[in-house]
Amino acid sequence: MNAVVTENSLRTEGAALPGLRHDWRLAEVEALFELPFMDLMFRAQQVHRAHHAANRIQMSTLLSIKTGGCPEDCGYCPQSIHYDTGVAREDTMPVAAVVDAARRAKEAGATRFCMGAAFRSPKKKDIERVSEMIRGVRELGLETCATLGMLTPEQASELKDAGLDYYNHNVDSSEDYYKKIISTRTYQHRLDTLEAVRNADLKVCSGGIVGMGETRTDRAGMLVTLANLPEHPQSVPINQLVQVKGTPLADGEAEAAAVDSFEFIRTIAVARIVMPASQVRLSAGRQEMSDETQAMAFMAGANSIFYGEKLLTTGNPDVERDRSLLARLKINAETQEQTNARSGCC
Ligand code: SAM
Ligand code: DTB
Ligand code: SF4
């Protein structure tokens, strides 16, 4: 007779797996990338089930509260003033419009609302305005996330006091490769902001981009940086580069450097293994992915997505496509209560 395999029995099996580590060596992580694909997927799925509900995904909606005109020169970004991408510079949105967008996101099923701004670093008035937005969004019962560029320790504390739950600040790649895609700040600047965010007792959302022409060693190096932080980021977004015309990373050379979907899925699986308890988000690039690639990413341990037609300036699958995909896979969208219980929010 076949044994009935329940979610719980699989989770118990996974309990024998190693716990949280902060001493990953590059060679070990590269060795994970080198595993036969099915072995890697199996291992990632075991780790996933030891730490997370097997068939549940958290959904966050993203809104660009201040678009374009950014002084930084991130080679992937359509919002940099250094590149002619057709993204117009806009003023910061009014607070009421942001809270309205958050209300619609909640009605559509999102449990976290992420406010993104094309800042190098926010000014005093920006922190005040964003604090009002945070208070308004939180009153709706949603978790809040912001991504505003570099923060001082004081700014991080102000955002915490306003009720912010998560701060997104990506390391984006390995320290070595970072220098090749951004010249206006350093990797250490990123790590300093992450430290300020941790010290303010905010939850950290930090990940990176795959497909910028980096090597597998760079992808492994990025995951080593994230996993060896004093605490694993509670949320780890893995973005597939969205090539936007006008950015340096959208020329013919970059197209040749794009990774195939198996390598992208490997990156998700390795992130899941080295940061077992974190939420790994299948982030930008989903619009270009087949349903099958997304299902494989969930199998590899991704348990969070951006939900809603738009990311910041580029497209995302529409809600009907996402709802249909989750229904066909019998994956449940995490409820607000489940989101809050996991993160101790609200
Ligand atoms: N300005 C802030 C910063 O850089 O931290 C916040 C907004 S910035 C757009 C947030 C993140 O979006 C970047 O760190 C990068 O990981 C991601 N991103 C930007 N452009 C992208 C693209 N074309 N494809 C994939 N991810 C992208
Ligand atoms: C993250 O890691 N990905 C999101 C969010 N954090 C802020 C942003 C993706 C941006 C994709 C390009 C755009 O829409 O402008
Ligand atoms: Fe500015 Fe952020 Fe875009 Fe870099 S990624 S150009 S900091 S908005």
Side-chain angles (χ1 to χ4, degrees):
M1 198 177 76
N2 286 339
V4 178
V5 180
T6 64
E7 187 177 308
N8 279 343
S9 68
L10 285 166
R11 292 178 93 178
T12 312
E13 236 175 73
L17 292 161
L20 306 191
R21 283 180 51 191
H22 300 268
D23 60 351
W24 287 96
R25 286 177 295 108
L26 181 63
E28 275 179 289
V29 176
E30 285 184 293
L32 289 173
F33 270 94
E34 292 295 327
L35 284 171
F37 188 76
M38 299 308 164
D39 294 355
L40 177 60
M41 292 292 276
F42 182 64
R43 191 156 161 199
Q45 182 64 198
Q46 280 182 305
V47 172
H48 188 72
R49 285 171 184 256
H51 293 269
H52 304 273
N55 297 295
R56 190 192 296 168
I57 275 180
Q58 187 274 331
M59 305 198 300
S60 297
T61 293
L62 195 53
L63 177 70
S64 182
I65 59 163
K66 159 71 186 84
T67 305
C70 183
E72 303 270 26
D73 69 353
C74 313
Y76 46 75
C77 186
Q79 302 200 69
S80 164
I81 44 163
H82 300 269
Y83 317 124
D84 186 7
T85 61
V87 172
R89 181 198 182 109
E90 292 172 20
D91 290 338
T92 304
M93 285 177 68
V95 174
V98 172
V99 177
D100 268 356
R103 188 174 296 113
R104 288 194 297 277
K106 186 176 171 71
E107 283 163 8
T111 61
R112 189 180 309 153
F113 192 67
C114 304
M115 294 161 271
F119 296 143
R120 169 174 166 82
S121 51
K123 302 190 172 55
K124 189 170 183 301
K125 67 170 181 4
D126 300 321
I127 293 289
E128 285 164 7
R129 174 93 68 104
V130 174
S131 294
E132 277 184 62
M133 293 173 187
I134 292 166
R135 281 189 276 270
V137 173
R138 239 196 169 217
E139 265 175 31
L140 301 172
L142 281 161
E143 274 193 328
T144 54
C145 175
T147 180
L148 316 170
M150 291 185 266
L151 291 186
T152 63
E154 294 72 30
Q155 289 176 321
S157 296
E158 280 178 66
L159 294 172
K160 172 74 185 177
D161 291 345
L164 186 67
D165 298 298
Y166 286 80
Y167 194 78
N168 167 244
H169 200 67
N170 292 338
V171 298
D172 277 330
S173 196
S174 68
E175 183 161 13
D176 271 358
Y177 200 67
Y178 198 78
K179 299 183 192 78
K180 299 190 181 137
I181 49 171
I182 299 158
S183 75
T184 48
R185 57 167 191 262
T186 64
Y187 210 63
Q188 190 57 47
H189 282 124
R190 291 312 256 189
L191 298 176
D192 290 348
T193 291
L194 289 176
E195 186 179 3
V197 168
R198 268 195 316 274
N199 289 344
D201 204 22
L202 288 163
K203 293 187 183 69
V204 171
C205 173
S206 188
I209 308 180
V210 173
M212 298 189 290
E214 77 286 346
T215 61
R216 181 178 266 187
T217 303
D218 291 315
R219 289 187 280 280
M222 171 180 89
L223 296 179
V224 167
T225 297
L226 293 169
N228 289 350
L229 288 171
E231 283 174 50
H232 292 171
Q234 284 81 1
S235 167
V236 181
I238 303 293
N239 297 276
Q240 177 169 277
L241 175 69
V242 180
Q243 294 196 8
V244 179
K245 203 163 175 289
T247 61
L249 294 185
D251 61 13
E253 216 177 288
E255 260 161 53
V259 295
D260 73 7
S261 40
F262 296 126
E263 185 65 15
F264 180 79
I265 302 293
R266 279 181 186 276
T267 310
I268 299 239
V270 176
R272 167 51 66 228
I273 292 167
V274 300
M275 291 170 279
S278 302
Q279 278 184 292
V280 175
R281 180 172 304 145
L282 174 59
S283 300
R286 284 201 303 119
Q287 200 172 35
E288 290 75 31
M289 285 175 205
S290 67
D291 290 349
E292 291 77 8
T293 299
Q294 293 187 61
M296 249 193 315
F298 300 143
M299 186 81 190
N303 60 348
S304 162
I305 56 171
F306 283 122
Y307 176 66
E309 278 76 12
K310 212 166 171 197
L311 292 166
L312 292 173
T313 65
T314 65
N316 198 40
D318 57 42
V319 296
E320 285 73 28
R321 179 177 167 199
D322 278 345
R323 284 195 183 132
S324 147
L325 176 62
L326 297 190
R328 282 186 293 148
L329 297 175
K330 293 199 181 214
I331 290 178
N332 301 309
E334 186 168 281
T335 63
Q336 190 72 60
E337 290 67 31
Q338 289 165 338
T339 296
N340 297 352
R342 184 171 29 70
S343 57
C345 163
C346 314

